[in-house]
Amino acid sequence: QVQLVQSGAEVKKPGASVKLSCKASGYTFTTYYINWVRQVPGQGLEWMGLINPTGGATSYAQNFQGRVTMTRDTSTSTVYMELISLSAEDTAMYYCARDSRPTGIGDGFDYWGQGTLVTVSS
Amino acid sequence: QSALTQPASVSGSPGQSITITCTGTSSDVGTYNFVSWYQHHPGKAPKLMTYEVNQGPSGVSNRFSGSKSGNTASLTISGLQAEDEADYYCCSYAGRSTWVFGGGTKVTVL
């Protein structure tokens, strides 16, 4: 069965960076794009960006340009999301989610990871 | 890219139908039919309820239906049930391989 398993909770100090992982299983890793979505406590879902696992091409939301980098390791079917220059406003639950359209974009995010809580505090 | 606009809350009694709106612009909802809706219970991962405006994923109740007119998409929940109480988010493709979510709507079953 399809699964996206994310890395564990992180506690970081302001100014630091965090790198989260999302390990895919149960399907051909390179067939589906992976997105990252976060939810700040008390706020809504926010799309951060996506990566095409085939070639590694990425697209980032304007709000995160320059601070986020998404990469992948096809040998382990894992996608990574690194966010730098953290502030308290980055305290959030971070999710990875698979786009359900094979080799493309458009059919909604059908499988989600369990979420990783990142807490930024001095 | 600004978030899509949703009402903060919608409520209804069991068995009733409710509709949640999602207003975007001609740069997202108005141009693309890649609009999806997600149900989010606190502490759980969001769940895809509809995609491509009005398509239902397998395993999702047909009580959930989507539609779109101009820059506004809608999710209708018919035969409202207690288990439908959750937060609901719309999401639209916004071009250039980007997506935008709505602010979310809290659905309360009275």
Side-chain angles (χ1 to χ4, degrees):
Chain A
Q1 72 283 21
V2 174
Q3 278 192 303
L4 298 176
V5 179
Q6 298 184 228
S7 47
E10 302 266 9
V11 179
K12 296 292 182 180
K13 293 193 181 304
S17 62
V18 69
K19 189 171 185 177
L20 310 182
S21 68
C22 170
K23 183 174 176 58
S25 62
Y27 70 97
T28 301
F29 176 66
T30 51
T31 300
Y32 299 89
Y33 290 28
I34 295 291
N35 297 264
W36 287 88
V37 177
R38 79 174 187 180
Q39 184 176 36
V40 172
Q43 297 186 23
L45 301 177
E46 182 178 21
W47 182 80
M48 299 180 68
L50 62 79
I51 184 167
N52 178 350
T54 297
T58 57
S59 175
Y60 303 133
Q62 211 166 355
N63 287 350
F64 298 97
Q65 291 275 1
R67 280 211 305 140
V68 69
T69 303
M70 297 177 188
T71 57
R72 93 286 187 226
D73 181 345
T74 55
S75 68
T76 60
S77 299
T78 302
V79 169
Y80 299 92
M81 189 281 294
E82 182 175 27
L83 191 61
I84 67 172
S85 303
L86 294 169
S87 70
E89 289 67 41
D90 293 313
T91 293
M93 182 69 79
Y94 290 78
Y95 296 98
C96 60
R98 190 187 84 161
D99 191 308
S100 58
R101 173 171 289 196
T103 66
I105 295 174
D107 286 352
F109 307 156
D110 59 349
Y111 287 93
W112 294 66
Q114 82 277 19
T116 297
L117 181 62
V118 175
T119 302
V120 183
S121 174
S122 55
Chain B
Q1 185 68 44
S2 299
L4 308 175
T5 300
Q6 298 181 231
S9 62
V10 172
S11 62
S13 299
Q16 285 186 330
S17 292
I18 62 170
T19 296
I20 306 167
T21 57
C22 167
T23 301
T25 70
S26 58
S27 298
D28 38 64
V29 175
T31 293
Y32 302 101
N33 287 327
F34 297 136
V35 177
S36 48
W37 286 88
Y38 299 87
Q39 178 189 67
H40 193 198
H41 287 107
K44 299 182 70 175
K47 177 183 179 182
L48 178 65
M49 305 306 285
T50 68
Y51 66 96
E52 285 188 22
V53 177
N54 57 12
Q55 301 301 300
S58 61
V60 172
S61 170
N62 58 12
R63 297 186 299 106
F64 294 85
S65 61
S67 62
K68 190 186 89 166
S69 177
N71 294 340
T72 299
S74 300
L75 176 72
T76 297
I77 309 175
S78 58
L80 198 61
Q81 300 179 1
E83 68 210 48
D84 300 332
E85 188 161 291
D87 296 322
Y88 289 83
Y89 294 90
C90 61
C91 182
S92 174
Y93 185 65
R96 297 190 176 186
S97 300
T98 66
W99 294 90
V100 61
F101 277 95
T105 298
K106 182 177 181 60
V107 168
T108 302
V109 181
L110 302 172

